Amino acid sequence: MNGKEENISMIKVKLFGIAKEIAGERTLVINETLETTEELLKYLRSEYPDFIKLKSLLIAINDEYAFPESRINPDDEIAIIPPVSGG
């Protein structure tokens, strides 16, 4: 190392509906430094480009809807909730 430690944390993300289909997994484990939900969305869109097609994607942190600037902590429970249609 160059004397500078990186602070990379493990983030667990639960996926539902089409988000699960896009990623091919029910839960993602991300080993990146992502501090906000906006950074998480950018990461998902870069790793799984089909996420770009989802216009009204919601993120929940610890069972509460999050905003783009919401902070992510390593022990948070994060869920990706895609649009739901029905009749």
Side-chain angles (χ1 to χ4, degrees):
M1 290 193 128
N2 58 11
K4 184 179 176 183
E5 285 188 37
E6 291 203 25
N7 186 19
I8 297 178
S9 58
M10 183 174 69
I11 301 168
K12 292 182 183 176
V13 180
K14 294 181 181 181
L15 304 168
F16 297 93
I18 189 74
K20 180 175 70 173
E21 292 177 27
I22 290 171
E25 299 183 52
R26 179 170 291 179
T27 303
L28 293 177
V29 177
I30 301 171
N31 292 307
E32 296 283 333
T33 301
L34 303 172
E35 295 182 2
T36 65
T37 56
E38 183 174 35
E39 290 177 10
L40 173 61
L41 277 178
K42 286 180 185 177
Y43 172 85
L44 291 173
R45 290 173 177 150
S46 70
E47 293 294 313
Y48 307 95
D50 282 345
F51 271 100
I52 295 168
K53 297 175 186 175
L54 302 178
K55 301 295 182 201
S56 61
L57 190 66
L58 295 174
I59 297 178
I61 299 176
N62 301 323
D63 296 324
E64 293 187 24
Y65 289 118
F67 298 97
E69 66 277 4
S70 295
R71 308 282 301 162
I72 296 174
N73 297 305
D75 58 342
D76 285 339
E77 182 177 283
I78 300 171
I80 304 295
I81 306 162
V84 179
S85 62

